[in-house]
């Protein structure tokens, strides 16, 4: 490696004119594969550099190369982004050899990608998704992956000019140099200035115990709506009949059908109360009217809005909409279609498989699948493929019904506010409301249901969870209020979600805010125990113990029971033993009468 090659090297460019070829005589790192030169940094620190110009030289004597690497403090690996073949040789040939050695030695590694990609007009693109020049250049993602494999710090330098080398590469290298100097100083404590062998050492402070996790059950939203279709006939307000025989095919719920399917919304509601599109009541031509979906269903004359008598289960029925299924294929697969709609209208693979087993005709299945797409107001396209499940998620299927008077059959009066709801959704999502609306209670026969002991905002958040399967309280107190409401109506998953929200809010508070906040964590602990929030109760005990120095000085700390205080004392951080050792250490320091202070 000649003088010209050295001047084009990365480390030579960083060290500048102070670099001198040929190391000191006491250097024991000489090897034929490396070119050695020295320089001084930070004024009085000598840096010995072993620079290898080519990876092929390392194969000549790997044993001696390994000894050089073993004695090094910092390892810098450089490659060109415009030489993909050489990079692959490094990644596949040399990286597997270096990886176990680096993990064993624990030295810092810097991986530097030098050069601008061939088709770049400005600075190199670091976007992982940019693959326009991957065929000839080394992309950012591959260099980043190699750095992760080696445990290295990754840098990209478009060129070896003063700005990139000094500002980016130099700052990283200097940081590791400082860390190495500190480590060397710690390894030789007897040589430190003013160090005495009898000087006391500060006590070691252990990390606080990890807070226990809050476990939340998986969502049962689809299963709840499936139960509504299978067993919620008591609250059904839509009846399906075969067009040719008039035989009853099944029941449904207008609120759910209108929320999931625009076709049912047009069929059951129409643009006005009494006006119906022609395509909904009669087959004309290709079965389309005004660009609408095919006429697969129609309303029974005089059926919509008619008050019927008693249902088979003995309960009074409300508005009953009778729909005639004209399509013979839909008559055969009506149950599978309704199940698909109730579960959120995204399980296309399962629907196609179920129809294939019943029809045993691929052409008929394809035709019926196209007709079901008309229920959802979709055209056949890439987004209707079975893998496009993100197009319409289950919990979002009822979001349009939340706090909406559309097909509402019950009104909650909470603190003078009117909150419309739908019995079918409530009984499917909440067991307590299922018993309330289906038993011999006043709520089962009343349209207006008063709610006491809960604020309007809290009950609205509770209803939002029933309709959307999500919970986003605005504060700790709001989350606790929703938790109490969830415990009242026995909705365990919502209760656990509120526990997670409380923990997240408290854990995000810095210590200064935690000490000055008006929120009483001790009272939150009392409420958690009172309302059977066992996970939150245990978590708060650990949280109080981990912040013992903050909560022990608050007046409400005395409200803890004797058993709770014993548990907090056992888990407290910092521990009594550490505080006692710290007090003894400070006393010994005072006896030495030192004027200087240590940063611990």
């Amino acid at each position: 490696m000649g003088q010209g090659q050295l001047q084009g090297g990365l480390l030579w460019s960083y060290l500048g004119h102070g670099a001198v070829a040929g190391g000191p005589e006491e250097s024991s790192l000489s090897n034929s594969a490396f070119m050695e030169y020295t320089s001084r940094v930070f004024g009085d620190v000598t840096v010995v550099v072993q620079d290898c110009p080519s990876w092929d030289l390392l194969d000549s004597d790997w044993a001696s190369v390994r000894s050089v690497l073993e004695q090094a403090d910092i390892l810098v690996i450089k490659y060109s982004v415009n030489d993909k073949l050489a990079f692959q040789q490094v990644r596949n040939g040399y990286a597997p050899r270096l990886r176990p050695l680096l993990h064993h030695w624990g030295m810092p590694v810097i991986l530097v990608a030098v050069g601008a990609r061939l088709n770049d007009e400005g600075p190199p693109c670091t976007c992982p998704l940019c693959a326009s020049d991957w065929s000839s250049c080394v992309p950012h993602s591959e260099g980043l992956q190699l750095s992760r494999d080696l445990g290295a710090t990754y840098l990209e330098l478009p060129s070896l000019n003063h700005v990139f080398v000094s500002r980016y590469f130099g700052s990283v290298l200097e940081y590791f140099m400082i860390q190495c100097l500190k480590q060397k100083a710690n390894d030789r404590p007897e040589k430190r200035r003013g160090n005495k062998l009898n000087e006391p050492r500060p006590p070691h402070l252990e990390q606080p115990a990890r807070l226990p996790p809050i476990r939340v059950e998986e969502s049962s939203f689809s299963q709840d709506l499936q139960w509504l279709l299978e067993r919620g006939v008591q609250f059904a307000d839509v009846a399906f009949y075969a067009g040719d025989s008039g035989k009853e095919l099944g029941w449904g719920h207008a609120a759910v059908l209108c929320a999931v399917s625009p076709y049912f919304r047009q069929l059951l509601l129409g643009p006005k109360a009494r006006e119906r599109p022609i395509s909904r009541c009669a087959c004309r031509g290709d079965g389309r009217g005004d660009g609408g979906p095919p006429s697969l269903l129609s309303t029974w004359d005089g059926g919509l809005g008619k008050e019927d008598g008693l249902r088979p289960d003995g309960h009074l029925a409300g508005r009953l909409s009778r729909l005639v299924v004209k399509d013979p294929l839909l008559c055969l697969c009506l149950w599978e279609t309704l199940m698909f709609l109730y579960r959120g209208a995204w399980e296309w693979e399962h629907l196609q498989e179920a129809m294939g087993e019943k029809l045993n005709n691929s052409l008929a299945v394809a035709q019926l699948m196209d007709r079901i797409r008309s229920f959802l107001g979709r055209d056949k396209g890439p987004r209707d493929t079975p893998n496009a499940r993100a197009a319409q998620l289950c919990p979002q299927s009822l979001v349009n019904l939340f706090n909406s008077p559309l097909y509402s059959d019950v009104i909650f009066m909470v603190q003078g506010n009117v909150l419309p709801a739908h019995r079918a959704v409530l009984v499917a999502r909440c067991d307590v409301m299922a018993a309330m609306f289906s038993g011999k209670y006043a709520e089962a026969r009343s349209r207006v249901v008063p709610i006491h002991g809960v604020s309007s905002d809290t009950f609205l958040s509770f209803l939002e969870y029933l309709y959307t399967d999500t919970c986003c309280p605005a504060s700790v107190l709001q989350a606790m209020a929703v938790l109490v409401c969830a415990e009242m109506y026995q909705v365990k998953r919502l209760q656990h979600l509120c526990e997670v929200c409380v923990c997240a809010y408290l854990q995000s508070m810095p210590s200064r805010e935690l000490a000055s906040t008006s929120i009483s964590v001790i009272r939150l602990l009392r409420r958690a125990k009172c309302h059977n929030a066992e996970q939150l109760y245990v978590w708060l005990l650990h949280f109080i113990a981990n912040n013992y120095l903050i909560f022990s000085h608050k007046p409400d700390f005395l409200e803890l029971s004797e058993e709770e205080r014993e548990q907090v004392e056992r888990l407290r951080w910092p521990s009594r033993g550490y505080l006692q050792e710290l007090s003894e250490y400070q006393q010994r320091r005072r006896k030495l009468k030192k004027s200087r202070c240590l940063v611990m």
Side-chain angles (χ1 to χ4, degrees):
M1 190 172 181
Q3 186 74 10
Q5 291 176 298
L6 279 174
Q7 293 177 358
L10 175 61
L11 287 169
W12 185 274
S13 301
Y14 164 72
L15 297 174
H17 299 291
V20 179
E25 296 179 358
E26 65 273 16
S27 176
S28 61
L29 302 178
S30 59
N31 183 275
S32 59
F34 295 92
M35 179 66 185
E36 183 176 305
Y37 51 93
T38 62
S39 181
R40 301 183 72 85
V41 296
F42 307 132
D44 58 347
V45 178
T46 302
V47 179
V48 180
V49 180
Q50 298 286 336
D51 204 338
C52 179
S54 174
W55 285 93
D56 296 333
L57 297 177
L58 298 180
D59 287 330
S60 59
D61 189 1
W62 179 253
S64 60
V65 168
R66 175 172 175 173
S67 65
V68 173
L69 296 176
E70 187 175 0
Q71 299 178 57
D73 296 314
I74 303 173
L75 178 62
V76 180
I77 302 175
K78 182 188 72 171
Y79 69 90
S80 173
V81 298
N82 294 316
D83 191 351
K84 192 167 187 179
L85 184 60
F87 172 80
Q88 292 175 349
Q89 180 183 4
V90 173
R91 181 185 60 187
N92 302 328
Y94 297 101
R97 297 190 202 175
L98 293 174
R99 189 183 303 114
L101 301 178
L102 296 176
H103 291 174
H104 177 70
W105 295 330
M107 72 173 65
V109 182
I110 306 175
L111 181 64
V112 184
V114 179
R117 293 179 176 86
L118 297 179
N119 60 349
D120 284 351
E121 297 178 359
C125 177
T126 59
C127 175
L129 301 179
C130 180
S132 60
D133 57 348
W134 285 17
S135 59
S136 59
C137 301
V138 181
H140 168 83
S141 58
E142 293 187 10
L144 187 61
Q145 183 60 42
L146 179 59
S147 67
R148 291 172 179 170
D149 294 341
L150 297 176
T153 300
Y154 181 69
L155 295 176
E156 283 194 355
L157 304 179
S159 64
L160 296 182
N161 59 24
H162 176 72
V163 175
F164 291 108
V165 173
S166 300
R167 181 175 300 178
Y168 298 112
F169 173 73
S171 60
V172 176
L173 183 61
E174 290 173 3
Y175 169 79
F176 286 125
M177 287 182 180
I178 294 174
Q179 297 301 317
C180 290
L181 292 175
K182 290 181 178 180
Q183 183 64 33
K184 291 178 180 293
N186 293 333
D187 294 340
R188 298 188 298 271
E190 68 281 357
K191 295 184 179 180
R192 288 184 296 178
R193 181 182 302 176
N195 183 73
K196 299 293 182 65
L197 295 178
N198 59 349
E199 184 177 351
R201 293 194 176 190
H204 177 66
L205 179 61
E206 298 289 344
Q207 293 295 323
R210 296 186 63 180
L211 297 173
I214 304 295
R215 304 188 182 279
V216 182
E217 300 87 346
E218 293 185 1
S219 174
S220 61
F221 192 88
S222 298
Q223 292 80 357
D224 293 340
L225 292 186
Q226 179 178 343
W227 176 92
L228 177 64
L229 178 62
E230 294 174 346
R231 303 183 183 181
V233 64
Q234 173 183 342
F235 304 95
D237 51 4
V238 177
F240 295 91
Y241 296 89
D244 50 356
S245 63
K247 178 183 176 181
E248 181 180 315
L249 299 177
W251 295 77
H253 306 81
V256 179
L257 295 175
C258 291
V260 177
S261 169
Y263 179 74
F264 277 105
R265 187 158 54 248
Q266 182 187 23
L267 184 68
L268 295 174
L269 297 178
K272 294 183 180 180
R274 294 296 178 181
E275 293 181 8
R276 306 289 175 193
I278 298 177
S279 64
R280 297 188 311 105
C281 301
C283 292
R284 294 179 180 270
D286 61 351
R288 295 181 180 268
D290 299 330
S295 180
L296 307 176
L297 305 169
S298 67
T299 56
W300 196 316
D301 292 339
L304 183 62
K306 181 178 178 180
E307 296 289 341
D308 293 328
L310 292 175
R311 294 273 180 84
D313 51 23
H315 285 261
L316 288 173
R319 291 167 53 116
L320 179 62
S321 302
R322 298 183 177 90
L323 299 182
V324 178
V325 183
K326 299 180 178 180
D327 189 277
L329 295 178
L330 187 58
C331 286
L332 294 175
C333 300
L334 180 65
W335 176 259
E336 289 78 9
T337 303
L338 292 178
M339 182 66 68
F340 168 75
L341 296 177
Y342 270 68
R343 289 182 61 87
W346 59 272
E347 297 175 327
W348 293 96
E349 287 182 347
H350 182 73
L351 175 65
Q352 188 172 5
E353 182 180 352
M355 289 182 174
E357 293 178 358
K358 176 165 286 189
L359 299 178
N360 199 19
N361 188 328
S362 58
L363 181 59
V365 171
Q367 293 176 355
L368 189 53
M369 291 287 288
D370 290 340
R371 295 168 187 174
I372 292 175
R373 289 187 180 91
S374 68
F375 288 163
L376 304 177
R378 299 181 184 178
D379 295 328
K380 185 176 181 181
R383 61 194 180 104
D384 292 322
T385 58
N387 295 328
R389 294 187 174 184
Q392 186 173 3
L393 299 179
C394 295
Q396 300 300 323
S397 57
L398 301 182
V399 66
N400 294 327
L401 289 181
F402 170 61
N403 201 22
S404 171
L406 176 66
Y407 265 93
S408 171
D409 55 0
V410 62
I411 295 176
F412 291 105
M413 295 295 299
V414 189
Q415 294 182 335
N417 296 319
V418 177
L419 303 179
H422 309 79
R423 295 174 189 261
V425 179
L426 300 178
V427 300
R429 299 280 289 145
C430 178
D431 294 338
V432 173
M433 288 194 173
M436 181 174 67
F437 288 122
S438 58
K440 296 181 179 180
Y441 299 101
E443 292 84 355
R445 294 173 176 81
S446 175
R447 179 173 174 80
V448 180
V449 177
I451 300 295
H452 305 285
V454 180
S455 67
S456 176
D457 293 338
T458 301
F459 195 76
L460 190 64
S461 298
F462 173 72
L463 292 179
E464 182 181 9
Y465 169 78
L466 297 183
Y467 280 83
T468 65
D469 205 43
T470 57
C471 176
C472 300
S475 63
V476 175
L477 299 181
Q478 177 69 11
M480 285 300 299
V482 178
L483 184 147
V484 173
C485 184
E487 193 265 341
M488 181 189 308
Y489 288 96
Q490 297 297 308
V491 184
K492 280 292 184 182
R493 185 171 184 271
L494 175 58
Q495 189 174 356
H496 294 162
L497 288 176
C498 293
E499 292 177 352
V500 172
C501 292
V502 172
C503 297
Y505 281 124
L506 292 179
Q507 208 165 6
S508 64
M509 289 184 179
S511 299
R512 184 172 298 180
E513 182 181 357
L514 199 61
S516 61
T517 183
S518 60
I519 300 174
S520 175
V521 178
I522 308 297
R523 294 177 184 175
L524 293 180
L525 181 73
R526 299 263 67 82
R527 296 187 68 184
K529 185 176 182 180
C530 179
H531 295 284
N532 300 317
E534 298 179 359
Q535 295 188 98
L536 180 60
Y537 176 77
V538 175
W539 189 91
L540 288 175
L541 280 178
H542 283 75
F543 185 73
I544 295 172
N546 285 0
N547 298 274
Y548 184 87
L549 298 180
I550 296 177
F551 293 112
S552 60
H553 293 87
K554 293 193 173 185
D556 55 3
F557 185 77
L558 300 177
E559 299 178 10
L560 292 174
S561 64
E562 183 177 353
E563 181 182 356
E564 293 169 345
R565 195 173 303 177
E566 289 179 358
Q567 187 171 357
V568 170
E569 290 289 344
R570 179 173 55 85
L571 300 172
R572 60 173 290 178
W573 184 86
S575 63
R576 288 185 179 273
Y578 171 79
L579 295 179
Q580 183 177 358
E581 293 178 2
L582 181 62
S583 177
E584 295 174 355
Y585 167 76
Q586 292 174 344
Q587 291 178 3
R588 291 196 300 268
R589 291 288 300 167
R590 293 191 193 100
K591 291 180 180 179
L592 294 176
K593 298 180 181 181
K594 294 291 185 178
S595 59
R596 63 188 179 90
C597 63
L598 291 178
V599 179
M600 292 183 295

